[in-house]
Amino acid sequence: MLGEEVNVLGMRDFTFFAAEAVSRQSEQRRIAALHALSEGKSPVTVISVSGLMMRTIPPELLRSAAFELRIDGSYQPEAVEEALLRCGYTRTAQVEGPGQFARRGGILDFYSPSDEAPVRMEFWGDEVDSMGYFDIATQRRTHQAERCVILPAAETLPSLSEGGTEELCRRMEEFARRYASKRSSENAQKLAANIRADAQRLASGIIMSDADRYLPMIYPMASAMDYIPHDALLFIDQPSRCSERAKEYARQTGDDVKEQNRRAMVASTPDGFYMSWDALIKK
């Protein structure tokens, strides 16, 4: 009706269990929509109640993590690889989906959540010789690209925590020590042991597929509300139904987190994973 492209920001499921393969489609769609909001490039955005409430990466961290590559630029391939790893990308033999990258000599492939297709860059030393999109099925280039934006591959990235992964590991170790010293139950000791083990995994460079368990420890509280410009027109469609959905989401998230507490996997309380509806309405 307005002649504008409409971005949709929905919810995603928190990943509380380690897994070899985790689908991040909904998460990466959220990242692209949040980045468009932060850059003022989303004139019309539709946000679900749960998508608005859930805790996410703060706007300033998303802006600092995202970076642009241009065909007329000069970049060290190794430096681009390091930046991709910091943004949560997984190194693979061949790129098959968003959040992956592969390098073969002077050829670097990557698939950013901001793009509809993966990008292939060919380097001549540090100079970009060519850059273009390619088809996953055929691995053949489809059309040239003048520029591309690299967005984080996940919302919860330990590498973006204040002080980086090393400082986060130190805080996790300290939290585990204090937690275990104040509680003698078997569950508390098991949780402390799990936190120490996770800190060691992170320190050794292992990418945690279940980093959401430490979301409250990684970032300060932020939600999609923090991405909405102060001068935006904000319409709440059917406020009473939104309020009911907010209660339902808080209850669902609370049950999930309590179950993880029972399994000695999460140390936070449920409200560490979402912003309350009352707080959002005040904002």
Side-chain angles (χ1 to χ4, degrees):
M1 290 174 65
L2 298 176
E4 300 280 4
E5 182 180 351
V6 177
N7 279 321
V8 178
L9 182 66
M11 66 167 286
R12 70 178 180 93
D13 292 326
F14 288 120
T15 303
F16 290 139
F17 294 98
E20 287 187 13
V22 176
S23 174
R24 296 195 182 275
Q25 271 192 322
S26 58
E27 185 173 0
Q28 288 164 351
R29 284 196 294 267
R30 277 177 52 84
I31 293 168
L34 289 170
H35 183 256
L37 269 173
S38 73
E39 294 292 298
K41 296 178 180 178
S42 183
V44 184
T45 309
V46 175
I47 309 178
S48 70
V49 172
S50 49
L52 187 67
M53 292 175 68
M54 65 189 315
R55 191 169 188 160
T56 188
I57 179 173
E60 60 276 12
L61 285 180
L62 178 56
R63 284 193 291 267
S64 66
F67 61 98
E68 182 181 84
L69 297 172
R70 304 183 66 89
I71 195 168
D72 57 356
S74 177
Y75 317 95
Q76 290 184 341
E78 295 79 11
V80 178
E81 279 188 282
E82 289 176 9
L84 288 167
L85 289 169
R86 281 198 304 273
C87 283
Y89 284 67
T90 304
R91 188 194 306 273
T92 58
Q94 181 174 293
V95 170
E96 297 178 338
Q100 297 179 349
F101 79 95
R103 183 182 171 196
R104 300 173 302 282
I107 300 175
L108 179 65
D109 295 344
F110 53 85
Y111 199 158
S112 171
S114 62
D115 288 323
E116 295 295 325
V119 172
R120 175 165 294 155
M121 295 180 70
E122 295 187 34
F123 289 89
W124 182 261
D126 292 346
E127 302 297 321
V128 180
D129 191 45
S130 66
M131 182 167 70
Y133 295 98
F134 68 92
D135 182 85
I136 288 178
T138 64
Q139 291 291 305
R140 292 181 178 177
R141 186 172 301 195
T142 55
H143 57 283
Q144 185 171 309
E146 298 296 322
R147 57 179 289 275
C148 62
V149 176
I150 306 295
L151 297 183
E155 286 185 62
T156 307
L157 291 173
S159 57
L160 299 183
S161 177
E162 184 178 0
T165 304
E166 184 178 347
E167 173 60 20
L168 174 63
C169 292
R170 189 199 64 77
R171 293 202 309 270
M172 289 169 65
E173 292 274 8
E174 177 61 20
F175 180 88
R177 186 191 64 77
R178 287 189 285 105
Y179 194 86
S181 67
K182 293 179 180 180
R183 298 166 178 82
S184 57
S185 70
E186 182 181 346
N187 187 275
Q189 299 304 313
K190 184 178 178 181
L191 175 60
N194 285 336
I195 294 174
R196 292 191 195 97
D198 287 336
Q200 291 171 5
R201 288 166 63 200
L202 283 173
S204 65
I206 294 176
I207 296 176
M208 286 184 61
S209 60
D210 52 344
D212 284 336
R213 292 192 287 117
Y214 296 102
L215 179 56
M217 195 178 293
I218 292 172
Y219 303 137
M221 175 60 82
S223 81
M225 181 64 83
D226 296 291
Y227 285 80
I228 298 174
H230 292 296
D231 59 349
L233 293 174
L234 195 154
F235 298 90
I236 302 178
D237 182 37
Q238 302 183 64
S240 60
R241 289 190 65 187
C242 287
S243 178
E244 286 303 310
R245 172 57 187 147
K247 292 176 184 176
E248 180 186 350
Y249 179 71
R251 185 166 55 251
Q252 289 173 339
T253 305
D255 289 344
D256 289 344
V257 174
K258 287 173 184 175
E259 174 61 19
Q260 297 313 307
N261 282 330
R262 188 184 68 79
R263 293 169 177 258
M265 299 298 289
V266 170
S268 175
T269 55
D271 58 6
F273 291 89
Y274 64 86
M275 188 173 286
S276 74
W277 186 245
D278 287 343
L280 289 171
I281 292 299
K282 287 178 182 178
K283 276 204 168 194

